[in-house]
Amino acid sequence: MKLSFAAPLVVFAAMAGLLFFGLHRDPGLVASPLLDQPLPDFVMSEVRDPDSQLRSDELTGEPALLNVWASWCPPCLAEHPLLMSVTDEVRIFGLNYKDERDDAVQWLDRYGDPYTRSGHDPDGRVALDLGVYGVPETFVIDRNGRIVHKHTGPISVKEWAHTFRPLIQRLKDASD
C-alpha cells in the first residue's frame, strides 16, 4: 500500500528536477548536429529577384551570418532593428522561410533590408537541411563555410554584445 503513495511522489520529484534544470538553460542555445560541419549545399532563388540565385558557397571567404526569417514572424520583427544596426560588422544573408515572396519583399521594403542577399525557401527544404526548428534562427558561418554557432530565437542586444560580436571578431582575427 505504501508503494502506491510513493510512485506519484517519485514521478513528481523527477518532473520538478527536470523543470528546475530547464530554468537554468539558455533557450537560444540549441544543440545542432551541424556545428563544426560545412554549411549544407543549397541553391535558392532570391527574395527580390526570382531569376537570381543565392548559393551556399557565397557564404565563404569571410565570416557571415545566415538568418532564417519570415514576414509572418513577430520575433523576426523584434530582432530586425538589431540586424539593421550590425550590417557594418558582418555580412548577413537571409533565408526567407515558408513565406510568400510578395509578403517578404513588402516586409523588407517597410522595415529595411539588412541582408547582403536573401534566399527564398517557400517549402522549407533548405531550412530542413539546416535543422531549423522555427524562426528566427541564426547561424554563424566561418570563412571556410563551416557552421560555428547556432542561435534559436531573436538575438538580443546583450546576446549580440556578449556572444555574436566576440565570436565574429575571433573568426575575423583567425582569417588574417
Side-chain angles (χ1 to χ4, degrees), residues 148-167:
V148 296
H149 183 73
K150 177 182 178 179
H151 180 82
T152 301
I155 303 168
S156 69
V157 171
K158 182 179 177 182
E159 289 162 331
W160 182 261
H162 294 281
T163 302
F164 284 86
R165 183 176 283 136
L167 175 56

Side-chain angles (χ1 to χ4, degrees), residues 30-52:
V30 175
S32 171
L34 295 179
L35 283 180
D36 296 323
Q37 299 296 317
L39 185 65
D41 288 334
F42 62 76
V43 177
M44 297 180 278
S45 65
E46 275 196 84
V47 168
R48 291 187 180 275
D49 181 4
D51 296 326
S52 182

Side-chain angles (χ1 to χ4, degrees), residues 93-106:
F93 291 85
L95 189 156
N96 179 243
Y97 177 71
K98 292 188 176 183
D99 209 348
E100 296 294 327
R101 186 183 304 275
D102 290 342
D103 294 342
V105 170
Q106 289 173 11

Side-chain angles (χ1 to χ4, degrees), residues 117-155:
R117 298 181 70 194
S118 191
H120 186 231
D121 188 21
D123 55 11
R125 287 186 185 160
V126 175
L128 183 65
D129 289 344
L130 286 165
V132 169
Y133 290 90
V135 288
E137 285 191 19
T138 304
F139 298 85
V140 179
I141 313 299
D142 73 8
R143 67 186 175 106
N144 297 315
R146 298 178 76 78
I147 298 171
V148 296
H149 183 73
K150 177 182 178 179
H151 180 82
T152 301
I155 303 168

Side-chain angles (χ1 to χ4, degrees), residues 52-74:
S52 182
Q53 294 183 323
L54 172 63
R55 299 175 179 276
S56 53
D57 61 5
E58 293 179 52
L59 280 75
T60 62
E62 62 183 278
L65 299 182
L66 179 60
N67 177 253
V68 183
W69 67 281
S71 65
W72 46 262
C73 165

Side-chain angles (χ1 to χ4, degrees), residues 101-114:
R101 186 183 304 275
D102 290 342
D103 294 342
V105 170
Q106 289 173 11
W107 194 87
L108 291 172
D109 288 344
R110 181 174 184 182
Y111 299 110
D113 189 347

